[in-house]
Structure formats: structure tokens, C-alpha cells
């Protein structure tokens, strides 16, 4: 049944309203941190009463968990989805687009979100479970890309899964400095590309050139 808000001025199907709430919460999480995701904050952003938000999310923790999952899922689809670098793009171009995203403003925001979630997960089993699930999905998606690259002769990796895990370790290592001015230093910026080249048997300079081309194609706002 469609939801009826105060005064019956706005009617939205329940699924649409719920998705709207989660999207707004994800935006708050990326901009201000998961601690700022509250029923009141989301209600204010949407111009509705907090009671409407609590109708869909009686516990604020469940909204925080869904906000985190939505934010990182969107990032994964944008940068590791099959069509992310173009439907006809090969494994190297798709890898380059993903690696290039790490140092953008959006990538730094994602790094802060992951740091934030890892800290809060110590105190929230529900968030810890969501974090573990999203890590697995990221690794699965990257491992699939690595396998395609190996099959095409573009990459060399004996274990695609292990390579994907280690690439994400490099990404997380870079992201650990997301709140530091040092992240703009060239030594930090090249680390993920250098590590990925080593893990996949690629020439670091050639991979760096592919990443630069991907960034130019996206006209990205690069931090480092």
C-alpha cells in the first residue's frame, strides 16, 4: 500500500520511500561519517518527521548498516562493474579504471567510510557482518576480473583470489592515510598501482599509463 504522509500531500510506495531513506543515509555516511546517520538527520534531509524514518527503521543501527552497504555497493558497481569502463573494455582497461578511482575525491571518501566502518564494527556485530560481506563481494568481483585477464593473457597470477585480496590490502593501506595530508605525496599515490603490477605480472609504467588514460577518460577530480 502506498505510504501517506502528513496532510496526504505526498504519497510514495513503501519500497520507493525506503530506498530514498537508505540513499540519503548513504550520502550522510560518505560526507560526514556513519556516526552522523541518525533517524533525525535523515528525516531533516528528506523534510519528513523522524517517525516516518523509524517506521521503516525502528533501530538506528539497522539504518547505519544499510547505509554502509548501499554506499560501498554503489562504488563497486561504478568501478568494478562489467560496464564500468565500457562494455567492450578489456581486463586491463577495467583494472586501470578501478585503480584510478582509488585516488579520486570519491575514492578518498570511500576510504574514510571503510576506516570508519572498521572502527565501529568493533562495537556492532551487525555492522561487522555487513563489512565482512561487502569485503567478500569486492574481492569476488576483482577476482573475476583477474581471472578474465589471466585467461586473455593480459595478467599473470597463479591464484586470482589471492591476488585480488592482496590488491585490496594495498588499497586499504593507501586508504589508511585518507585523513592525512601525506596521502597527496607521489610515493603514496603510486603504491597501489605498483603493488597491483607486481601481483599481476605487469610493467608498472605501462599500468600507470593505463590508469592515467582511464582518469583522463573519466575527467576525474584526482586528489593525488
Amino acid at each position: 500500500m502506498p505510504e501517506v504522509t502528513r496532510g496526504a500531500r505526498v504519497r510514495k510506495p513503501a519500497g520507493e520511500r525506503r530506498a530514498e531513506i537508505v540513499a540519503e543515509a548513504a550520502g550522510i555516511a560518505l560526507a560526514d561519517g556513519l556516526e552522523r546517520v541518525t533517524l533525525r538527520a535523515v528525516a531533516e534531509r528528506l523534510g519528513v518527521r523522524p517517525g516516518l524514518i523509524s517506521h521503516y527503521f525502528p533501530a538506528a543501527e539497522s539504518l547505519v548498516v544499510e547505509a554502509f552497504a548501499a554506499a560501498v555497493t554503489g562504488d563497486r558497481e561504478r568501478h568494478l562493474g562489467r560496464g564500468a569502463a565500457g562494455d567492450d573494455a578489456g581486463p586491463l582497461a577495467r583494472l586501470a579504471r578501478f585503480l584510478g578511482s582509488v585516488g579520486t575525491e570519491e575514492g578518498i571518501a570511500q576510504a574514510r567510510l571503510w576506516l570508519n566502518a572498521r572502527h565501529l564494527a568493533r562495537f556492532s556485530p551487525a555492522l561487522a557482518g555487513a563489512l565482512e560481506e561487502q569485503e567478500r563481494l569486492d574481492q569476488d568481483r576483482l577476482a573475476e576480473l583477474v581471472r578474465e585477464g589471466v585467461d586473455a593473457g593480459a595478467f599473470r597470477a597463479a591464484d586470482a583470489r589471492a591476488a585480488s585480496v592482496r590488491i585490496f590490502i594495498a588499497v586499504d593501506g593507501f586508504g589508511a592515510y585518507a585523513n592525512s595530508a601525506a596521502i597527496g605525496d607521489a610515493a603514496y599515490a603510486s603504491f597501489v598501482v605498483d603493488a597491483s603490477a607486481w601481483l599481476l605480472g605487469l610493467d608498472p609504467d605501462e599500468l600507470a599509463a593505463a590508469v592515467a588514460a582511464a582518469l583522463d577518460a573519466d575527467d576525474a577530480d584526482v586528489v593525488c
Side-chain angles (χ1 to χ4, degrees):
M1 175 179 291
E3 165 212 324
V4 181
T5 63
R6 184 185 179 192
R9 288 180 292 181
V10 179
R11 298 172 182 267
K12 290 189 177 181
E16 181 181 340
R17 177 62 87 182
R18 193 178 196 283
E20 180 184 55
I21 291 169
V22 172
E24 196 64 49
I28 294 172
L30 280 165
D32 303 316
L34 291 166
E35 296 93 338
R36 300 291 186 179
V37 177
T38 65
L39 304 184
R40 183 172 297 279
V42 175
E44 288 178 354
R45 296 282 191 100
L46 292 177
V48 299
R49 288 182 170 181
L52 176 63
I53 310 302
S54 64
H55 172 74
Y56 292 94
F57 294 94
E61 182 184 34
S62 62
L63 179 55
V64 169
V65 169
E66 289 208 32
F68 169 73
V72 299
T73 297
D75 182 71
R76 178 170 56 249
E77 293 306 317
R78 282 190 297 277
H79 299 118
L80 277 172
R82 180 166 294 278
D87 291 335
D88 298 326
L92 179 59
R94 288 161 53 206
L95 174 69
R97 191 176 193 277
F98 163 65
L99 296 178
S101 73
V102 172
T104 63
E105 290 282 2
E106 181 184 359
I108 298 301
Q110 284 286 329
R112 291 191 179 108
L113 179 62
W114 278 95
L115 283 173
N116 188 202
R118 291 185 196 284
H119 170 67
L120 295 179
R122 297 170 58 202
F123 316 105
S124 169
L127 183 57
L131 193 149
E132 183 176 346
E133 172 69 4
Q134 294 305 319
E135 282 182 332
R136 183 188 64 78
L137 291 171
D138 276 355
Q139 292 165 4
D140 286 350
R141 183 66 62 84
L142 184 56
E144 179 184 358
L145 172 57
V146 171
R147 289 188 193 98
E148 290 182 20
V150 170
D151 291 344
F155 306 152
R156 295 195 306 275
D159 186 332
R161 176 77 180 183
S164 72
V165 169
R166 289 167 180 167
I167 289 172
F168 273 114
I169 290 174
V171 170
D172 288 342
F174 174 80
Y177 295 88
N179 295 315
S180 169
I183 201 168
D185 186 274
Y188 292 80
S190 64
F191 173 69
V192 178
V193 172
D194 290 345
S196 299
W198 171 67
L199 287 164
L200 300 177
L202 300 170
D203 181 272
D205 292 334
E206 291 182 4
L207 181 55
V211 169
L215 287 170
D216 286 342
D218 286 346
D219 194 25
D221 181 12
V222 183
V223 171
C224 44

